[in-house]
């Protein structure tokens, strides 16, 4: 019951945008340059997509932590979720600095990811960790593409995305080290399709 109450509390904080960060946002090595309206909107759209990804990461990790019977794995997942809270807060702060907002569909994204995490956790820890591996691989690829698309003068967003990319890659490696397996190709394909729908929608909404 305590675990469910804690998860509900974290879920509400995530969706309300009040989840506290434990680390300050990465700082750019150069001051931001003035962005025109088109550049501002592009940066905001990409950071909104990144924010959605972190909302889903919170749901996935929290659901998996609830589902596992392995106490050490539960602690690992909760620690990873805390790092993702930092990512969530960094993206939210950057969106505010860009005078924009998170996705209007965050409750939908959260609910879907929580359901997937719960099912994966109930199937077994190796499969659950396999979802972490594949999810983090896809997120890392998205972040790499965002580094190519962000305006050159938006150094603050670039610093945040670069740090996130580094930590997502580490999360995938840690999941592999703990016994995560490669998911079947059809499952990976479905995950890519779902991610594509989510990112295209979140780009605007």
């Amino acid at each position: 019951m305590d675990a469910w109450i804690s998860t509900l509390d974290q879920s509400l904080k995530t969706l309300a945008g009040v989840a506290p960060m434990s680390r300050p946002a990465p700082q750019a090595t150069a001051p931001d340059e003035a962005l025109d309206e088109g550049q501002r909107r592009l940066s905001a759209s990409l950071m909104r997509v990144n924010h959605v990804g972190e909302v889903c990461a919170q749901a996935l990790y929290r659901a998996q932590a609830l589902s596992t019977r392995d106490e050490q794995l539960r602690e690992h997942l909760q620690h990873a979720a805390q790092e993702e809270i930092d990512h969530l807060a960094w993206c939210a702060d950057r969106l505010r600095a860009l005078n924009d907002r998170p996705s209007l569909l965050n409750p939908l994204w959260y609910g879907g990811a929580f359901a997937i995490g719960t099912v994966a956790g109930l199937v077994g820890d190796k499969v659950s960790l396999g979802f972490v591996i594949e999810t983090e691989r896809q997120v890392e690829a998205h972040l790499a593409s965002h580094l190519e698309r962000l305006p050159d003068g938006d150094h603050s967003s670039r610093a945040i995305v670069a740090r996130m990319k580094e930590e997502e890659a580490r999360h995938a490696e840690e999941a592999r080290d703990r016994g995560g397996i490669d998911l079947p190709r059809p499952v990976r394909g479905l995950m890519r399709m779902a991610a594509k729908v989510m990112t295209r929608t979140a780009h605007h909404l």
Side-chain angles (χ1 to χ4, degrees):
M1 181 61 70
D2 288 345
W4 276 102
I5 292 173
S6 176
T7 300
L8 177 60
D9 178 64
Q10 289 294 338
S11 300
L12 294 174
K13 287 179 178 178
T14 295
L15 295 175
V18 296
M21 69 178 77
S22 61
R23 298 173 293 165
Q27 296 299 304
T29 56
D32 289 327
E33 300 172 18
L35 304 178
D36 62 32
E37 181 58 17
Q39 291 173 323
R40 184 201 68 79
R41 293 179 66 179
L42 174 60
S43 287
S45 294
L46 295 176
M47 294 308 291
R48 179 163 49 250
V49 169
N50 294 335
H51 185 267
V52 166
E54 298 307 323
V55 167
C56 292
Q58 280 299 301
L60 186 69
Y61 279 121
R62 300 293 176 186
Q64 290 172 308
L66 275 177
S67 301
T68 184
R69 296 182 178 180
D70 186 326
E71 188 60 35
Q72 289 186 339
L73 178 56
R74 179 178 294 109
E75 291 179 2
H76 167 74
L77 292 167
Q78 290 171 342
H79 175 73
Q82 181 57 54
E83 287 194 341
E84 301 288 357
I85 286 180
D86 290 339
H87 298 177
L88 184 75
W90 297 346
C91 290
D93 282 354
R94 188 58 191 152
L95 277 170
R96 285 190 286 269
L98 291 165
N99 195 29
D100 221 297
R101 53 159 178 78
S103 171
L104 299 175
L105 300 178
N106 274 343
L108 175 64
W109 309 134
Y110 190 95
F114 195 93
I116 291 172
T118 299
V119 171
L122 292 174
V123 171
D125 289 340
K126 290 185 177 181
V127 172
S128 181
L129 288 167
F131 268 91
V132 173
I133 294 170
E134 184 60 27
T135 298
E136 298 292 20
R137 282 175 177 171
Q138 293 186 20
V139 171
E140 184 185 1
H142 280 298
L143 294 174
S145 71
H146 289 184
L147 285 173
E148 295 179 357
R149 296 179 61 193
L150 281 166
D152 292 337
D154 188 358
H155 301 296
S156 292
S157 294
R158 287 180 166 277
I160 291 170
V161 171
R163 175 71 67 79
M164 288 168 56
K165 179 177 177 294
E166 175 185 316
E167 294 186 354
E168 306 297 1
R170 176 166 52 78
H171 291 165
E173 292 174 2
E174 291 172 348
R176 173 74 70 186
D177 291 342
R178 287 182 172 270
I181 61 174
D182 288 328
L183 299 178
R185 183 173 297 178
V187 175
R188 298 199 304 269
L190 286 172
M191 290 176 68
R192 284 192 291 271
M193 288 178 59
K196 186 174 294 185
V197 170
M198 182 192 73
T199 54
R200 288 183 177 178
T201 304
H203 194 85
H204 303 286
L205 298 175

